[in-house]
Amino acid sequence: MELNLKGRVVLVTGGSKGIGLACAAAFAAEGARVAISSRSRDNLAAAEKTLHAKGYEVATVAADLVDANAALALVAEVERRLAPIDVLVNSAGAAKRHAPEELDMQAWHHAMDAKYFTYVHAMQAVLPGMAARKRGAIVNIVGQGGKIASPAHLAGGAANAALMLLSAGLASAFGRSGIRVNAINPGVTLTERVTGRFEAEGRIAGVSPDEARRRGEQSIPLGRYGRPEEVAAVAVFLASERASYVTGANIPMDGGAAATVV
């Protein structure tokens, strides 16, 4: 299937690891001009090496998107080095997991800063240019924690729920400007971050992290956790012309774990 992404400029925030890195590789494989950002220059260098080994060239820019000005500077630098951004994939930031009794005000604020505001800042930085050009696509990698409440993920789940609503709202607000906004809500995906999830869930249940992982997999109809590349494949489709009439969608990717119709 031709996705018509060749030559399009794609910025992937949080693109140095996990789902973000998988997205960068998937867009590069389609011939897009890809830029990735991360707070860590070391992680960016490692990601660039990994992608180069696969035959992909990417631009890398270090930025802490908790700072709105850093997001503006990131977009300006990517557009200076490549061209105006056609696609934004938000995959930066993740809230730490806590048992409920461990939550304090700092944890609640950190969750919103780490996940919600990093996405908001990146979107606010690209939206004016996309609107002026009457074209653009935004894909937010959010998470099923915003839909299915988990005791170990209350703060992060609240940030995810806010992003789900914001994605749908921006899609409505900017549709007439030619901008599509969609969200993907992965369930548990096997990335570097997933270890903390099993540790937190194990503490709540009084079992080991390995046992928490085993129980989780048993509860999924497909019998396994997801892979970053699977999420990336959906992100590429949503950003492409093949999804030109898809906007405001919140797409679950949890192996059927949440058997709901809304």
Side-chain angles (χ1 to χ4, degrees):
M1 180 185 292
E2 177 56 57
L3 297 178
N4 297 319
L5 288 167
K6 187 174 182 179
R8 296 290 177 89
V9 176
V10 180
L11 169 60
V12 183
T13 69
S16 67
K17 288 185 176 182
I19 293 172
L21 180 58
C23 286
F27 277 100
E30 293 294 328
R33 303 175 68 190
V34 178
I36 62 175
S37 72
S38 168
R39 290 176 298 177
S40 169
R41 296 183 186 279
D42 290 341
N43 289 345
L44 284 172
E48 186 175 21
K49 183 177 180 180
T50 296
L51 293 168
H52 182 75
K54 296 180 179 181
Y56 306 139
E57 298 296 329
V58 297
T60 64
V61 183
D64 185 352
L65 299 180
V66 172
D67 180 354
N69 289 326
L72 292 170
L74 166 64
V75 168
E77 177 63 11
V78 170
E79 295 192 338
R80 183 189 70 80
R81 292 167 61 177
L82 299 180
I85 293 168
D86 298 298
V87 177
L88 169 67
V89 178
N90 267 321
S91 188
K96 294 180 180 178
R97 292 176 180 269
H98 302 271
E101 62 273 13
E102 297 171 355
L103 283 169
D104 55 21
M105 291 306 298
Q106 183 177 1
W108 289 103
H109 282 275
H110 176 269
M112 296 302 289
D113 283 340
K115 189 66 180 275
Y116 179 76
F117 283 112
T118 58
Y119 282 36
V120 170
H121 293 160
M123 288 189 285
Q124 285 293 111
V126 300
L127 279 169
M130 288 182 174
R133 295 186 294 274
K134 298 292 185 181
R135 188 180 76 179
I138 297 174
V139 180
N140 290 322
I141 311 298
V142 182
Q144 279 292 76
K147 188 172 184 180
I148 307 299
S150 165
H153 193 44
L154 293 176
N160 284 351
L163 282 171
M164 291 166 63
L165 184 144
L166 181 61
S167 298
L170 288 175
S172 177
F174 284 91
R176 293 187 183 278
S177 297
I179 301 169
R180 296 183 300 107
V181 185
N182 292 290
I184 301 174
N185 296 322
V188 182
T189 307
L190 295 175
T191 69
E192 298 91 337
R193 294 173 178 167
V194 80
T195 301
R197 177 192 183 105
F198 299 136
E199 291 174 349
E201 292 181 349
R203 288 197 301 273
I204 292 172
V207 299
S208 69
D210 287 342
E211 176 62 15
R213 172 174 175 164
R214 187 188 68 80
R215 291 181 182 183
E217 284 184 318
Q218 286 184 333
S219 71
I220 299 172
L222 290 184
R224 64 174 177 84
Y225 293 129
R227 299 187 298 271
E229 295 77 15
E230 293 171 312
V231 180
V234 176
V236 169
F237 169 73
L238 288 174
S240 77
E241 293 299 323
R242 294 293 183 176
S244 59
Y245 202 59
V246 181
T247 194
N250 281 282
I251 299 177
M253 290 194 68
D254 61 359
T260 62
V261 294
V262 293

